[in-house]
């Protein structure tokens, strides 16, 4: 019972892993924007959320492509690799779980801004809120991946600004990124996306000028 009739040897064992890797490559497909993604202006609540978290200026200037998913009632930030859309992350407008939903399986971070200095943050709205002063790179979480590093190391200088409750994780990320690019820690007392523009700009410029 449970036997295969095939003896286990080095060649057979290695073939198991080869097949798994091949299967993963075959199932990897390009991200296709769902038909349920419509213009942000189609839903007043979605538009108000984007304004509330100070992402609206980035949206109007074309720095961020933000949509509304009417099927899931989520504000959606499209994740791009260059000009190509490779993923999307959506924020629930009804506080349904999960609060943030990753639509694809890309490990590409969300980026916003055209500056050579970047702030590494947790989410897409924080990323958009600072794009008038610095570029933003959103990990969409607190874990640093190799794919994140590939993007981050293209900037001249990095500031890691995670939420206050993730300060210890931020310190570890600073240490790791310092091997690739000059990196500093930013201690946040208030979420960047919740700061008013003048307060946020002063806070960022104070760190940059040090």
């Amino acid at each position: 019972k449970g036997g295969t009739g095939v003896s286990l040897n080095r060649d057979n064992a290695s073939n198991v892993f080869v097949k798994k890797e091949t299967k993963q490559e075959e199932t990897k497909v390009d991200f296709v924007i769902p038909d349920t993604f419509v213009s942000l202006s189609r839903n007043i609540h979605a538009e108000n959320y984007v304004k509330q978290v100070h992402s609206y200026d980035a949206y109007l200037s074309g720095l961020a492509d933000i949509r509304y998913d009417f099927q899931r009632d989520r504000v959606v930030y499209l994740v791009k690799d260059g000009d190509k859309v490779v993923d999307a992350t959506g924020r629930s407008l009804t506080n349904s779980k999960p609060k943030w939903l990753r639509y694809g399986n890309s490990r590409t971070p969300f980026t916003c801004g055209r500056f050579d200095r970047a702030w590494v943050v947790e989410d897409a709205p924080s990323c958009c809120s600072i794009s008038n002063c610095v570029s933003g790179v959103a990990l969409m979480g607190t874990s640093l991946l190799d794919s994140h590093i590939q993007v981050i190391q293209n900037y001249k200088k990095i500031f890691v600004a995670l939420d206050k409750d993730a300060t210890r994780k931020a310190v570890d990320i600073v240490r790791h990124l310092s091997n690739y690019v000059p990196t500093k820690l930013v201690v946040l007392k208030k979420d960047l996306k919740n700061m008013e523009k003048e307060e946020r700009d002063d806070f960022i410029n104070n760190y940059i000028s040090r």
Side-chain angles (χ1 to χ4, degrees), residues 46-62:
E47 194 170 40
N48 285 340
Y49 171 81
V50 172
K51 291 178 180 178
Q52 177 185 342
V53 295
H54 302 96
S55 297
Y56 201 64
D57 286 345
Y59 167 72
L60 290 179
S61 64

Side-chain angles (χ1 to χ4, degrees), residues 117-128:
R117 299 184 183 191
W119 282 41
V120 174
V121 296
E122 290 187 30
D123 55 52
S126 296
C127 194
C128 292

Side-chain angles (χ1 to χ4, degrees), residues 21-38:
E21 291 174 356
T22 303
K23 185 176 181 180
Q24 287 178 349
E25 291 176 0
E26 291 174 351
T27 56
K28 185 177 180 180
V29 295
D30 290 339
F31 179 75
V32 178
I33 300 176
D35 294 335
T36 58
F37 288 11
V38 296

Side-chain angles (χ1 to χ4, degrees), residues 92-196:
S92 172
L93 292 173
T94 58
N95 292 320
S96 61
K97 302 296 183 180
K99 183 168 69 173
W100 282 97
L101 173 68
R102 193 73 179 257
Y103 284 83
N105 57 11
S106 167
R107 292 176 174 265
T108 304
F110 176 87
T111 59
C112 188
R114 300 192 178 100
F115 297 90
D116 59 5
R117 299 184 183 191
W119 282 41
V120 174
V121 296
E122 290 187 30
D123 55 52
S126 296
C127 194
C128 292
S129 72
I130 61 177
S131 59
N132 65 306
C133 295
V134 292
S135 293
V137 178
L139 303 180
M140 290 179 280
T142 58
S143 297
L144 181 68
L145 307 177
D146 289 340
S147 55
H148 296 157
I149 297 174
Q150 293 175 10
V151 173
I152 290 170
Q153 65 185 359
N154 292 320
Y155 293 96
K156 182 179 178 180
K157 193 171 184 178
I158 295 296
F159 296 80
V160 178
L162 304 186
D163 292 348
K164 188 177 180 181
D165 57 359
T167 300
R168 182 173 296 179
K169 193 69 172 286
V171 171
D172 292 336
I173 291 176
V174 169
R175 289 172 179 166
H176 194 75
L177 288 179
S178 295
N179 296 316
Y180 303 91
V181 61
T183 307
K184 288 188 175 182
L185 175 68
V186 175
V187 179
L188 292 178
K189 295 183 178 180
K190 186 178 181 180
D191 198 331
L192 289 166
K193 64 178 176 286
N194 294 330
M195 295 182 186
E196 294 302 322

Side-chain angles (χ1 to χ4, degrees), residues 14-26:
S14 62
N15 285 338
V16 173
F17 294 101
V18 172
K19 290 179 182 178
K20 286 184 177 180
E21 291 174 356
T22 303
K23 185 176 181 180
Q24 287 178 349
E25 291 176 0
E26 291 174 351

